[in-house]
Each structure stands twice: as structure tokens, then as C-alpha cells.
Amino acid sequence: MHTALQTNFLGIDLASPLVLPAGIMGLSYSGLAVAARKGAGMVTTKSFTLQPRTGHKGPVVAEWSGGILNSMGLCNPGIEEGLKEVHAFREGATTPVIISIFGTSREEFVKLARRTNRSDGNFLELNLSCPNVADEFGTPLSASQEKVSSIIYHVKKISRLPVIAKLSPNVYHIREIVSAAEAAGADAISLINTLGPGMLIDRKMGKPILHNRFGGVSGPCIKPIALKLIYETYSAVSLPIIGMGGVLTGEDAIEMIMAGATLIGIGTGIYYRGIDIFNLVNEEILRLLSDEGYDGIARIQRLEKLRE
Ligand code: RRO
């Protein structure tokens, strides 16, 4: 990988600022491996729960002109099996890994975090923002400053891994939430999780397309919301940000960095451009850097934050 793409995240050197976000291909060792081979600088697992979950009944994914709707329903093999996949991945790759976990309470998050202390992960992501399991568990935890603060504080007390808080776009008070996360000891912020949930209708069948009726919205249509929330987060806290939401191209990635992101997640973009999107966007970033006369991505991260 080109040296101009090298970046540092919480003390760890990455070959590229592009990250495979939670949930996309991180269910298995092979999904993580292919993303790393195809140019992701870091990879994230699916969010693991204490017990395995089969997820929702299909269809769980639907496409529309603005993006994608998903209602996977937190399908995952459970923390024990999940960490075995991470171990298998790390045997064959040096690419750093974020282990994502999902709990329904502070106690569950702490239990999961303790388990990841004995793992091959580099970072721990707390998924506080899944939009698809509100029927089971209620409103996502990241809607509440108090819950965000309490979970992060208690996880940080016991976690060996640096902690990243994955947050929802479905709030009017992102500045207060990220400030609470920072005060509680979070090491980084990751946003945005999918928007909504939303709904699509099959006119011919006269029913919702997703079996679960509702699903999180992702893809190009959410990019402006992501940029705004990353920008607000950047101006509220001094934590590094993994920014994501609708990134398909090198231009999109540079915009995320200018809004305040240190790293950029590409998830739904894989649906549009295939897994080669990581290498393609890396190449596009290099071309844009060279056109603008920058010698590396770090120059934009440090100097080109958006002006008022
Ligand atoms: O599995 C899912 O339905 C899911 C999760 Br955990 C999440 O965090 N975000 C999302 O869009 N889908």
C-alpha cells in the first residue's frame, strides 16, 4: 500500500484509513480476510452477543434508489465462536481488528468486554445503536446520555482494549451524547449506524418488502446526515472519529475526513462496487491527494478540517 495512505489510530499504524464496519462481512474469518486483502486498513467483526442469534426472517435486505434497507436482526455466532473467527483471522493477517459487541444492559456489555480481554482484537466497539431490535430490547441505548455514559464508564474500568462507542444518527443532541462518551472515558467515536428504521413497500404484493417490516437505512442517501453528525462530533470532542455513512468514492472519503473523521468506514458501498471498493477508493484518494498537492492523508487530517 502507498505510504501516503498510512495513518495512525490510537497508537496503531494502519496501511489505509479505510475500515470495514461492523456487520457487513465480519461474521467469519474469511469475510474479514477478504476485506483486509482488498485494501481495508482495519476490519470490524459483526456485533457479538453473549449467546448466538439467528437474526430475523428474510427478506432481511431490500434495495431502493437511495440506498439499502437492512433488518439482519443481530444474527451472530455469539461471543465465544466469534472470537474464534477473530483468532483464525489474526493467524493469517496483520491487519488490526475491531471487535464489536452488543449488550442489552450495562452488565451484559461488561461481561462481553471481559471476554474480549482474552482475544486477538486490537479495539473494542460498543454497539449502542442497532436500529433493528427495538421490538426486543427497546430504544437504542445511544439515545440516552446517561446510558451511554454508564456503559462506557463501567466497560472502561475493566477493558484491556481501547473502547470505541458506535452511535446512532437518530438523535437531536449528538453533541451532548459524544461529550458524555468522552467524559466517561471512551477512546474513540464511530458514527453513524444506520438511520431510521425505515420501510419499503412491495406494491404488487401489497405488503412491506422486509419480513420484519422495518430496517435501518444506509447508502448514498444518508451521506449528508453522516457528514453533519461527524462535523458536530468533531467540534464537540477531541476523540478520533471513525466516520461512515454512504461512502462510495474517494471524494466521499475525503469529505468525511474534512468533516472530522480520522478513519472512514465503507459498508453499503460494497453492495454497489463490490469488495474491490477498498482498493478503488484507496486509489481514488491517492489521485485526489496528488491533484491537490498533498503528500499524504495525514496532511488533510491535520490541516484541512472544514472551515466555518
Ligand atoms: O444486525 C442488524 O440488524 C444491524 C445491526 Br446489529 C446494526 O448495528 N445496524 C444495522 O443496520 N443492522
Side-chain angles (χ1 to χ4, degrees), residues 11-92:
I12 294 211
D13 289 326
L14 306 182
S16 157
L18 304 183
V19 178
L20 175 76
I24 312 300
M25 295 175 65
L27 268 174
S28 71
Y29 134 77
S30 55
L32 297 172
V34 72
R37 237 183 6 254
K38 293 288 188 171
M42 183 149 69
V43 293
T44 314
T45 68
K46 176 72 179 165
S47 298
F48 297 137
T49 48
L50 283 171
Q51 301 303 326
R53 286 177 54 96
T54 48
H56 291 147
K57 254 171 102 174
V60 291
V61 176
E63 188 191 357
W64 64 294
S65 56
I68 302 275
L69 213 56
N70 94 81
S71 184
M72 307 305 291
L74 207 42
C75 50
N76 79 95
I79 188 80
E80 290 305 326
E81 286 306 310
L83 294 184
K84 285 182 196 163
E85 299 285 344
V86 173
H87 180 70
F89 169 69
R90 287 309 299 270
E91 280 187 328

Side-chain angles (χ1 to χ4, degrees), residues 227-240:
L227 287 171
K228 186 255 191 190
L229 291 170
I230 292 162
Y231 176 66
E232 284 202 307
T233 299
Y234 181 75
S235 57
V237 298
S238 53
L239 303 175

Side-chain angles (χ1 to χ4, degrees), residues 245-291:
V247 173
L248 298 187
T249 65
E251 281 88 349
D252 296 331
I254 299 275
E255 289 167 23
M256 290 275 157
I257 291 175
M258 288 187 166
T262 300
L263 305 180
I264 308 109
I266 298 182
T268 299
I270 297 169
Y271 189 89
Y272 289 84
R273 300 182 78 185
I275 191 63
D276 281 323
I277 190 168
F278 290 103
N279 277 330
L280 294 171
V281 172
N282 279 331
E283 283 162 20
E284 289 160 5
I285 293 173
L286 284 173
R287 226 173 11 251
L288 290 163
L289 289 174
S290 153
D291 288 352

